[in-house]
Amino acid sequence: PTFHFGQGKDANIKITYAEALYGEERAKGNRNEIDGKTMVGRFDQITTDGSEDQEFTSLNYRTYRYIQLEVETKDDPLVLQGMDAMFTGFPFELKAEFGSDDPEHLKILEIGWRTARLCAVDSYIDCPYYEQLQYIGDGRIQMVISYYNTGDDRLAKNSINQISYSQQPEGVTFSRYPSASPQYIPPFSMWYVGMLHDYLMYGSDMEFLKTKLNSSRSVIQYFQSVQEEDGSLGTLPFWSFVDWAVGSEWSQGIPPIGQDGNSAILDLQMVLALQYASDLEKHLGIKELATSYLQEAEKLKATIWEKYWDSSKGLFADRTEKDVFSQHANALAILAGLVDGMEAKSIGEKIVAMENDMVEATIYFKYYIHQALVQVGKGNEYLSYLDVWRKGIEMGLTTWAETSDLNGTRSDSHAWGSSPNIEFYRTILGIDSDGPGFSKVVIEPHLGEFKKLSGKMPHPKGEIEVTYDLESTNSANIQLPLGVDGNFIFNGKTYSLKAGKNTIQLN
């Protein structure tokens, strides 16, 4: 921001910036309402020199929805001449299009894109107002948003580089980097391997990714060093943050831990990390290592079944006592391939119904919950899962909040909540990568109530465009870039796709 003013020698001006105003008991309420609310936030404070054309520009960017000016003049009146501002952010260009004419869908995408842009500057950041730090848990989702919405992987490569620079001799990474204050969140180091795997599938520079294989190996070696004989991770050092979930035995983002020190959620993340690392090695590295990682994953799967599966409830418990349950553990069990078929579908139904007082994931971790529900055949219901996003719109948010508690959330701008900007394309339109570097595509739309829908997204070799018409022509038209082929899946049938234009008659 830049403020212009004149005269007013020795006047004091305090400029306060806030994402939202606060009502009673620090509740934010509807962000459009200001009556009875107060301003609390960062501020700049300046003293004027009395000249005719003074100007103040902050030394770093400021994040705000509301600005409050407090002016104290001396003998000379101050003239406020105006304010202007310049947007600061990474030069992403939105290239994806979603062809719905429903204003709610477009509003969700608009807010998500704005949030993603505000959380991307010279690195990805968790939020533009508070820490402004590149956290792995946030960054993984932000990168996939970039792939799907812009096709620009430059900031993703920068992020992967920086996080690898934070790796310690033991193999664990910082939870966030660059940062002057070291912080370790072991589950985020496992998501870092997932971040590398995402780049394998959606990124454009496989030679770059090869340089990070040792980084992936070091993370896996670290967790192997703390595994117990049966493969469980046991009590991890530092902060085992998973999600800001609220529920029985959850504390400061840490999931329930058993008396034996074990957690189903952390063990399931280890299975996923091993699977991600195996795929990286299979395509770019050492084939024998890929096989070894998968063998370890299978051993840990058996341990998880034995320790956490509650056959009476048909769910995975969060710990060996089998007394608490969460969406998190059961969704990760689906994603890690511990269940399939009717068993997986049954767990999916229970996740949606929140059976057994199941702890609900927040807006951040719903990214993983939704992927699991799609995997068990519930993708056509995706739009019904977006209540927290709809509530955000009702409460006047113009960016997505940090947590699902929209009254009490700290940050009003966290890009980890922008996952619909992925899933509108990956789940509803159905476009996904089916090979390293998006070399092959798989398109499996989940149209739900849509009878007609179109859209497009960027691809390393051009763009992918789809049009579905279940009303007049009962067909799908799919345009793929040159040199790219794949498969189209609809109603259980698979159709081959070639580069260029494909017209498929649907039965």
Side-chain angles (χ1 to χ4, degrees):
T2 298
F3 296 86
H4 307 273
F5 42 87
Q7 303 175 41
K9 183 171 175 56
D10 295 328
N12 291 315
I13 305 175
K14 182 180 180 182
I15 309 166
T16 306
Y17 312 89
E19 294 182 309
L21 305 180
Y22 291 93
E24 294 181 4
E25 299 181 358
R26 299 279 289 181
K28 292 182 174 180
N30 191 298
R31 305 311 194 268
N32 298 322
E33 298 170 359
I34 63 173
D35 289 348
K37 294 184 177 180
T38 56
M39 167 78 80
V40 180
R42 296 174 176 236
F43 61 87
D44 292 313
Q45 196 153 355
I46 57 178
T47 302
T48 63
D49 66 9
S51 60
E52 288 296 324
D53 295 303
Q54 300 171 66
E55 182 178 285
F56 169 74
T57 301
S58 58
L59 296 178
N60 195 8
Y61 65 82
R62 299 287 181 247
T63 308
Y64 52 87
R65 179 166 176 183
Y66 291 101
I67 295 177
Q68 177 173 283
L69 294 179
E70 297 173 70
V71 181
E72 180 187 1
T73 58
K74 303 301 182 187
D75 297 331
D76 186 22
L78 180 72
V79 179
L80 297 174
Q81 298 167 340
M83 174 210 172
D84 51 66
M86 178 183 291
F87 176 80
T88 299
F90 190 82
F92 279 128
E93 180 184 348
L94 180 61
K95 294 182 178 178
E97 295 179 9
F98 187 77
S100 170
D101 57 3
D102 187 320
E104 181 183 81
H105 303 156
L106 301 179
K107 177 60 72 173
I108 289 171
L109 289 172
E110 173 202 326
I111 293 175
W113 176 244
R114 181 182 298 112
T115 312
R117 295 247 29 221
L118 288 171
C119 295
V121 278
D122 51 352
S123 70
Y124 292 108
I125 54 175
D126 63 323
C127 53
Y129 191 88
Y130 291 96
E131 297 93 346
Q132 303 172 5
L133 289 171
Q134 184 168 246
Y135 282 86
I136 294 172
D138 307 63
R140 183 183 184 193
I141 297 172
Q142 289 170 278
M143 288 181 188
V144 183
I145 293 168
S146 300
Y147 303 146
Y148 266 87
N149 288 256
T150 75
D152 186 340
D153 65 2
R154 292 175 296 170
L155 201 61
K157 290 171 68 174
N158 180 66
S159 176
I160 289 169
N161 264 334
Q162 291 177 331
I163 293 164
S164 71
Y165 299 157
S166 79
Q167 202 152 26
Q168 301 301 290
E170 298 89 345
V172 70
T173 66
F174 282 12
S175 66
R176 60 198 187 192
Y177 197 79
S179 173
S181 175
Q183 184 196 68
Y184 301 96
I185 299 178
F188 277 15
S189 289
M190 288 189 273
W191 284 147
Y192 169 61
V193 182
M195 182 185 287
L196 295 176
H197 187 264
D198 292 340
Y199 193 88
L200 173 72
M201 300 307 290
Y202 302 109
S204 63
D205 189 346
M206 296 300 108
E207 291 304 312
F208 159 76
L209 190 58
K210 285 180 183 178
T211 69
K212 301 304 171 189
L213 288 176
N214 278 334
S215 179
S216 169
R217 292 164 187 158
S218 294
V219 170
I220 297 298
Q221 285 172 351
Y222 168 76
F223 287 101
Q224 288 171 329
S225 74
V226 298
Q227 279 182 296
E228 297 172 350
E229 189 174 337
D230 63 2
S232 281
L233 290 176
T235 303
L236 293 171
F238 312 114
W239 183 23
S240 291
F241 173 87
V242 168
D243 183 25
W244 289 122
V246 176
S248 179
E249 304 300 318
W250 284 74
S251 176
Q252 294 297 308
I254 302 172
I257 306 293
Q259 289 295 316
D260 56 3
N262 296 149
S263 158
I265 293 171
L266 299 181
D267 284 349
L268 285 161
Q269 270 201 246
M270 181 61 176
V271 174
L272 283 167
L274 287 165
Q275 292 170 340
Y276 295 144
S278 175
D279 216 29
L280 285 163
E281 297 294 344
K282 172 186 172 183
H283 291 291
L284 301 177
I286 302 170
K287 300 296 189 292
E288 292 79 9
L289 202 50
T291 301
S292 173
Y293 286 156
L294 279 186
Q295 290 170 344
E296 288 189 47
E298 290 303 313
K299 175 184 175 182
L300 184 48
K301 281 184 184 181
T303 294
I304 291 168
W305 268 105
E306 182 180 343
K307 295 176 93 160
Y308 308 113
W309 177 249
D310 187 326
S311 57
S312 67
K313 295 182 172 61
L315 290 168
F316 289 92
D318 286 351
R319 58 187 180 185
T320 46
E321 288 82 354
K322 300 181 182 178
D323 57 345
V324 284
F325 299 83
S326 66
Q327 288 187 322
H328 307 69
N330 288 282
L332 292 179
I334 292 168
L335 293 175
L338 273 80
V339 288
D340 56 19
M342 294 308 298
E343 199 161 45
K345 288 179 185 294
S346 174
I347 291 175
E349 294 288 351
K350 292 170 183 177
I351 288 173
V352 173
M354 300 282 291
E355 288 192 14
N356 293 287
D357 297 320
M358 195 179 285
V359 171
E360 184 177 6
T362 73
I363 191 170
Y364 154 54
F365 213 87
K366 286 183 185 294
Y367 174 68
Y368 298 101
I369 308 302
H370 294 166
Q371 287 180 73
L373 293 176
V374 171
Q375 192 165 308
V376 300
K378 299 182 73 63
N380 283 318
E381 302 169 32
Y382 173 73
L383 287 174
S384 70
Y385 306 145
L386 303 183
D387 286 351
V388 67
W389 286 271
R390 293 187 178 95
K391 184 67 174 175
I393 294 172
E394 289 174 15
M395 293 183 68
L397 284 158
T398 57
T399 49
W400 300 128
E402 179 178 8
T403 70
S404 298
D405 176 9
L406 302 183
N407 253 326
T409 186
R410 182 198 60 152
S411 164
D412 262 14
S413 183
H414 250 67
W416 67 12
S418 294
S419 59
N421 286 65
I422 302 167
E423 304 308 341
F424 273 51
Y425 304 99
R426 182 164 65 184
T427 295
I428 300 176
L429 293 179
I431 306 168
D432 204 357
S433 171
D434 199 29
F438 228 143
S439 55
K440 292 183 72 68
V441 301
V442 58
I443 300 180
E444 184 175 5
H446 300 88
L447 299 177
E449 298 301 314
F450 286 107
K451 297 300 181 186
K452 289 187 176 183
L453 187 63
S454 63
K456 65 180 181 180
M457 63 164 286
H459 181 277
K461 292 186 176 181
E463 68 179 21
I464 299 170
E465 188 169 358
V466 297
T467 301
Y468 306 120
D469 184 349
L470 306 185
E471 226 168 37
S472 54
T473 64
N474 201 36
S475 65
N477 286 286
I478 298 166
Q479 185 82 29
L480 298 184
L482 291 177
V484 179
D485 58 22
N487 290 301
F488 176 76
I489 303 171
F490 191 75
N491 284 343
K493 293 186 67 175
T494 300
Y495 307 81
S496 295
L497 297 174
K498 64 182 187 304
K501 185 176 181 179
N502 299 262
T503 299
I504 298 168
Q505 206 63 40
L506 304 174
N507 298 321

